[in-house]
Amino acid sequence: MESIRNCKIVVKPRRLLVFSILQLFVFTTAYIILLNNYSETILKVASDNLPRVIFKTESSRIAVKRSAQKPRSGRGKVFPGYRDIIFHKPLHLSCGSCAVVSSSGHLLGSHAGEDIDAHDCVFRMNNAPVRGYEVDVGTRTTIRSMANVNLVPSFSSKNHSRKEILISKETRAEIVLINWMSESQVRKRRGKEYQYALLLAGRHHHVQFFEFSQMKMSEAERLFQNETGITRGQANTWLSTGWFTMIAALDICGRVTVFGMVPKDHCEKQSSPSVMYIPYHYYDTKGPTECQYYNRSENRLDGGHLFITEKAIFARWSRKYDLTFRHPSWTEEEEGSGDLDTPFLNQYRELQLKYNSSFTSVADYLRWRKAQNLPRRRMRLQLGDRTFDVDNNAALETILGLLPGNKRLKSPILGAENTR
């Protein structure tokens, strides 16, 4: 009897241990099954609650498949500034010539697709589609450059983007390269977008997910400061996906050709009235026009992309690197080595001059103006479908500039004639 009791005491904990292990195994297996057959709800919920062990299990499964497939990025030069989002290994890639395809409406009717596909590597941005636009934008995608804020909108609500970029053998990207925009210090473990990127990488093992390293993000901001004389924070701006794509292409490629990107003064020197109606995105002809978006972004102080300033910097880079632009070709005078002449930087310099450099950043000025309850001193003008946000002091000059030809007007304010 005593031996039987002793036996029960020994066996019961073992059964509990086995049962606990079995429970853990079932729980982990269930999560992996759900991950492999995910839906919108699973991705959203899991991004906050998925245990770290799942990522380790999924990473091991991907590692086996990737080693068997010998992906293209496993060959070529090493670029430590771009890291695999799961394994943290640097990017290996060989690209002699690269095509950087913008999302501009200038590509519509360009018939540049064959020329784009002829390059060794092709860069595309965010969720710009290929299907339906092959004649103008080509079919191949080596690197899909994406901002972190565009991951969820592109892949959780737009199924066609997920299928085209991550699933379809004909159109999917070889690599998704994620930039973190204004976040040089990325909160990886707590950041929802980072966790979401891990889930996408775990699910779509045919596509490799790389990120700009913290070092590379800081370098991108230093480049902006070196060229403009002010930091990104002082300018109160977010660097665009085009900025990060250009940096990556110049790093990785021997020769870079950019398709569909306009020069900085394109919206000022209009060769024809049709220029003002070119859409910002070639796949969204009902959205804002390119010049509307550029002018509005460049002439505001309360945040946004500085597209015109960035393009002035690209023009300067074209003198240092093997960098050319097509559709349209950049025939305008190149930027020199002095101060950049762009609407935003000119406005920033005027602000510093007016207030005797009292403000260290645009954000400081905006906070001061809000505290003083000062008016914005800006007005919105509309001519047909065109909208302009201008400074009150420059309103008359802007209105005169919109009038066709040389027209003589008598100003009721100045009491004199203005010829334009």
Side-chain angles (χ1 to χ4, degrees), residues 198-218:
L198 284 175
L199 286 166
L200 290 172
R203 176 64 179 89
H204 301 283
H205 57 268
H206 292 291
V207 179
Q208 297 180 85
F209 282 73
F210 280 79
E211 62 168 332
F212 275 72
S213 67
Q214 182 173 315
M215 174 194 70
K216 201 65 183 179
M217 290 295 300
S218 298

Side-chain angles (χ1 to χ4, degrees), residues 280 288-298 305 307:
Y280 176 57
T289 66
E290 186 171 62
C291 286
Q292 282 178 338
Y293 200 67
Y294 281 9
N295 288 330
R296 184 168 64 245
S297 299
E298 185 78 12
H305 294 313
F307 293 109

